[in-house]
Amino acid sequence: MNNLAILWPREERPLHHPTPFGRDVHAGLRAGAKAIPAKYFYDSHGSELFEQICRLPEYYPTRTERKILLDNAAEIAAIIGADVEVVEFGAGAAEKVRLLLDALPRPAGYLPIDISGPHLTAAVAPLASRYPDVTIRVVAGDFTQALPLPAPLPQARCRVGFFPGSTIGNFTPDEALAFLRNAATMLRSSTASGAGLLIGVDLVKDPAVLHAAYNDSAGVTAAFNLNLLQRINRELNGDFDLGSFDHYAFYQPDQHRIEMHLVSRHAQVVTVCDQRYSFAAGESIHTENSYKYTPAGFRQLAEKAGFRPAAMWTDEDSLFSLHWLALPDA
């Protein structure tokens, strides 16, 4: 697998050294309205649970986006062109990128980024033999922050971003704008033309469809949400009783977003790294937002970030959308 390189694995620091996870958990539990960033769902077990969610019958985004990719692969490949390095933000299981790499003429490289380094490495390893002529460089890191990338491949004409799954919906509008601007900076790596971002965006729809997707009958999404507390227990010496918290997800129509919370069943005190946090009965930890967009609303956001919306594909029921955002030449 000489075409596969692992770059910048995340440093595992001892418990007594502060980590971004620890700092954010303590800050979130001290806040008046308790909250923990959704990016911390994705330890190894959380990533596995999310893969299970993507296969659930109620969870439409994955299969719908996959069908959009398959149905429009030739047109997407013609727009992107040959000899590009694909940069995938939040690569996870690295499954959808296969559809893109299969369609592209002569892809030069693949640079997946994900916060869960071990999970990403295991997911990407099979791609090295599947695409022997594609240089694969794995970056373990937080793509929501300023993250230095390796120099562009000399054989690559330009860099093209890939951000499937509607992860953009986990960001507030201000955070989404910041991400898009940061992505534009990372992708505009040379004066070559053709750079851009292929991004999946969930659309505004019937709230009943959304409720079912985030409250599946098998309870996998609940387990995914509660796994965040298990991670705190394991990595930060916490003593959360998972049976004392309930998964709660609902749609906020005025903000076009799903909210996910962990709700305390009763008054209790929890300890994390020797810090004690009190919960009233019914008090929650806000763990995730999932914003839904109208096509026009998302295109306006992309333009504000410096992209030029150039193409959009959707399914016949308008549940989900895939956008090609071009970067104007430098």
Side-chain angles (χ1 to χ4, degrees):
M1 294 185 185
N2 56 8
N3 62 325
L4 173 63
I6 313 299
L7 307 177
W8 303 317
R10 289 193 299 151
E11 180 184 2
E12 299 295 336
R13 285 172 282 190
L15 183 63
H16 61 276
H17 285 184
T19 64
F21 178 46
R23 288 194 296 268
D24 286 349
V25 166
H26 285 296
L29 294 179
R30 290 190 195 108
K34 294 179 173 66
I36 297 174
K39 63 186 178 183
Y40 295 120
F41 281 135
Y42 299 97
D43 63 351
S44 293
H45 186 51
S47 297
E48 292 168 1
L49 287 169
F50 185 70
E51 289 179 36
Q52 293 179 36
I53 289 171
C54 291
R55 295 191 290 269
L56 293 170
E58 299 98 329
Y59 194 76
Y60 63 87
T62 301
R63 64 176 178 273
T64 305
E65 184 178 41
R66 181 180 177 87
K67 188 174 188 303
I68 293 170
L69 275 166
L70 284 169
D71 289 350
N72 300 281
E75 184 180 354
I76 292 168
I79 290 174
I80 293 176
D83 303 317
V84 300
E85 182 176 27
V86 177
V87 179
E88 184 172 11
F89 301 99
E95 291 183 348
K96 291 174 188 168
V97 74
R98 299 180 185 211
L99 304 178
L100 182 60
L101 292 175
D102 286 346
L104 290 176
R106 296 194 318 273
Y110 174 48
L111 201 158
I113 308 168
D114 200 89
I115 197 168
S116 180
H119 181 80
L120 177 61
T121 301
V124 167
L127 301 185
S129 56
R130 180 178 174 125
Y131 305 103
D133 297 326
V134 175
T135 299
I136 300 174
R137 299 183 289 175
V138 175
V139 176
D142 183 357
F143 65 85
T144 68
Q145 306 295 320
L147 183 66
L149 297 183
L153 293 170
Q155 67 269 34
R157 174 176 54 84
C158 65
R159 276 181 167 161
V160 166
F162 185 47
F163 196 33
S166 195
T167 308
I168 191 73
N170 294 150
F171 305 146
T172 67
D174 286 346
E175 291 168 343
L177 178 61
F179 165 77
L180 289 171
R181 284 174 170 163
N182 188 46
T185 299
M186 286 192 281
L187 296 171
R188 191 184 277 114
S189 56
S190 71
T191 57
S193 62
L197 176 64
L198 185 66
I199 182 170
V201 180
D202 203 2
L203 298 177
V204 173
K205 61 182 63 64
D206 183 348
V209 175
L210 294 169
H211 180 83
Y214 291 85
N215 294 277
D216 62 274
S217 58
V220 183
T221 308
F224 174 71
N225 201 4
L226 287 161
N227 181 65
L228 181 58
L229 302 185
Q230 186 61 59
R231 181 180 181 184
I232 293 172
N233 287 350
R234 184 178 64 253
E235 297 184 25
L236 301 176
N237 197 28
D239 63 358
F240 278 97
D241 174 12
L242 274 63
S244 294
F245 286 83
D246 287 322
H247 164 73
Y248 182 47
F250 60 94
Y251 185 58
Q252 285 275 27
D254 58 329
Q255 299 190 59
H256 290 170
R257 76 183 187 194
I258 284 280
E259 288 188 16
M260 275 203 335
H261 293 253
L262 290 164
V263 180
S264 180
R265 291 186 172 185
H266 52 80
Q268 58 182 305
V269 176
V270 174
T271 303
V272 178
C273 283
D274 299 323
Q275 298 292 315
R276 291 164 61 85
Y277 298 100
S278 297
F279 286 82
E283 186 177 4
S284 77
I285 306 171
H286 188 169
T287 55
E288 185 180 52
N289 291 318
S290 185
Y291 283 84
K292 314 305 172 185
Y293 287 88
T294 63
F298 182 75
R299 286 195 293 264
Q300 184 178 32
L301 180 71
E303 288 176 342
K304 192 173 181 181
F307 287 95
R308 179 174 57 82
M312 184 190 79
W313 302 269
T314 187
D315 60 288
E316 61 184 12
D317 296 320
S318 297
L319 296 174
F320 200 90
S321 60
L322 193 66
H323 297 252
W324 171 245
L325 307 178
L327 271 173
D329 295 346

